Amino acid sequence: MARINVNPNRMELSRLKKRLAVARRGHKLLKDKQDALIKAFLEKARAGKELRESVEKELAECYGTFVLSRAQTTPEILEQALIFPGAKSTLSVTWHNVMSVMVPEYDVQQEGNPVNYGFVNVPLLLDAALEQFSGIIVKLLHLAAEEKAIRLMAGEIERTRRRVNALEYVMIPNLVETIRYISMKLDEQDRSTLTRLMKIKEIVSAK
C-alpha cells in the first residue's frame, strides 16, 4: 500500500475523503457493470455456440451435396456452369448498444437466381447445392455478428475488470492509507498544541 504524497492538512484531508467517496461509488458502479456484462456475455456465448453447431452442420450438408454433384460431371462442365454468377448479395451493417458495447448486426439482401446455367450435362444435385449455399448465407452472417459481439464484449469485460482492480487494489487503499496518515498527523499536531497551551497556562498561573 503506497501513500499519496500530499501535505498533511485539514483541506487535503477533506479533499481526499471526497475522492475516496467518489472512488468507492465508481468502484460499485463498475463492479455492477462487470457483473451484468459477464451475465450477458455468458448468455450470448451459449447462444453463439448453439448457432455455430447448427451452421456447421448445415454447411457440412451443403459441401456434401456439392461434392456429390461434382462427382457426377467433369471439372470443365462444372467450371462453365459456375463461371458467371447469377445471384448478387448486398451487405449492410448496423450497430447496436449492448451494455455500453457497440455490436454489429449484418443484413444481406439477395437478388437473382444462383442457378444461372443451362441444364444440359449439369447434375440436378448442383442446383440443390447452390440453393443450399444461398440459403445459409444469412445464417453465416448472423453467426459472424454474434461471434464479433462476443469478442467485443470479452474485450469490454477485460477493460472493466482492470478498472475495477485498479480502484479496489490501488486507488482506494492508497486513499485510505493517506487519510489515515493525515488524520494521525493532525491528531499529533492537536496534542502538541494542547500540550503547549497547558504549559503556557501553568507558567501564567505560576506568576
Side-chain angles (χ1 to χ4, degrees), residues 106-133:
Y106 302 133
D107 182 54
V108 62
Q109 298 294 329
Q110 295 177 299
E111 300 174 357
N113 188 350
V115 181
N116 185 40
Y117 45 78
F119 297 103
V120 180
N121 298 327
V122 177
L124 290 175
L125 278 176
L126 182 60
D127 300 358
L130 294 178
E131 287 173 358
Q132 285 177 326
F133 279 120

Side-chain angles (χ1 to χ4, degrees), residues 85-92 107-114 133-138 141:
K88 177 184 177 183
S89 297
T90 305
L91 178 67
S92 61
D107 182 54
V108 62
Q109 298 294 329
Q110 295 177 299
E111 300 174 357
N113 188 350
F133 279 120
S134 178
I136 204 173
I137 286 176
V138 175
L141 289 173

Side-chain angles (χ1 to χ4, degrees), residues 45-61 136 143 147:
R46 280 192 290 268
K49 180 176 180 292
E50 292 174 2
L51 179 60
R52 170 170 275 277
E53 290 173 351
S54 172
V55 169
E56 286 181 346
K57 182 179 178 182
E58 286 191 40
L59 202 55
E61 292 175 0
I136 204 173
L143 175 63
E147 294 194 342

Side-chain angles (χ1 to χ4, degrees), residues 5 9 20 33 69-70 77 82 85 115 155 177 185 195:
N5 188 20
N9 54 54
L20 179 60
K33 176 186 174 182
S69 68
R70 188 175 61 180
I77 293 175
L82 300 177
V115 181
E177 176 64 20
K185 281 290 184 181
T195 303

Side-chain angles (χ1 to χ4, degrees), residues 38-196:
I38 290 173
K39 182 180 178 182
F41 171 81
L42 291 175
E43 290 175 357
K44 192 168 279 291
R46 280 192 290 268
K49 180 176 180 292
E50 292 174 2
L51 179 60
R52 170 170 275 277
E53 290 173 351
S54 172
V55 169
E56 286 181 346
K57 182 179 178 182
E58 286 191 40
L59 202 55
E61 292 175 0
C62 292
Y63 278 114
T65 306
F66 181 75
V67 168
L68 288 174
S69 68
R70 188 175 61 180
Q72 294 178 3
T73 187
T74 63
E76 293 77 15
I77 293 175
L78 186 65
E79 182 180 356
Q80 187 177 4
L82 300 177
I83 195 167
F84 296 112
K88 177 184 177 183
S89 297
T90 305
L91 178 67
S92 61
V93 184
T94 55
W95 296 85
H96 301 279
N97 191 324
V98 178
M99 301 297 299
S100 75
V101 181
M102 298 303 294
V103 300
E105 182 177 323
Y106 302 133
D107 182 54
V108 62
Q109 298 294 329
Q110 295 177 299
E111 300 174 357
N113 188 350
V115 181
N116 185 40
Y117 45 78
F119 297 103
V120 180
N121 298 327
V122 177
L124 290 175
L125 278 176
L126 182 60
D127 300 358
L130 294 178
E131 287 173 358
Q132 285 177 326
F133 279 120
S134 178
I136 204 173
I137 286 176
V138 175
K139 290 186 178 180
L140 282 170
L141 289 173
H142 182 50
L143 175 63
E146 288 294 301
E147 294 194 342
K148 179 66 174 178
I150 290 168
R151 285 194 294 271
L152 290 172
M153 291 177 73
E156 184 64 21
I157 289 171
E158 180 61 24
R159 285 189 291 273
T160 304
R161 186 187 64 80
R162 285 199 296 266
R163 294 189 188 110
V164 168
N165 288 344
L167 285 169
E168 185 173 346
Y169 299 110
V170 180
M171 179 175 278
I172 291 176
N174 289 353
L175 288 170
V176 170
E177 176 64 20
T178 307
I179 288 170
R180 189 183 69 83
Y181 166 75
I182 293 176
S183 298
M184 288 175 57
K185 281 290 184 181
L186 292 175
D187 289 343
E188 288 177 8
Q189 291 174 11
D190 290 343
R191 285 193 295 270
S192 178
T193 300
L194 181 60
T195 303
R196 284 198 301 270

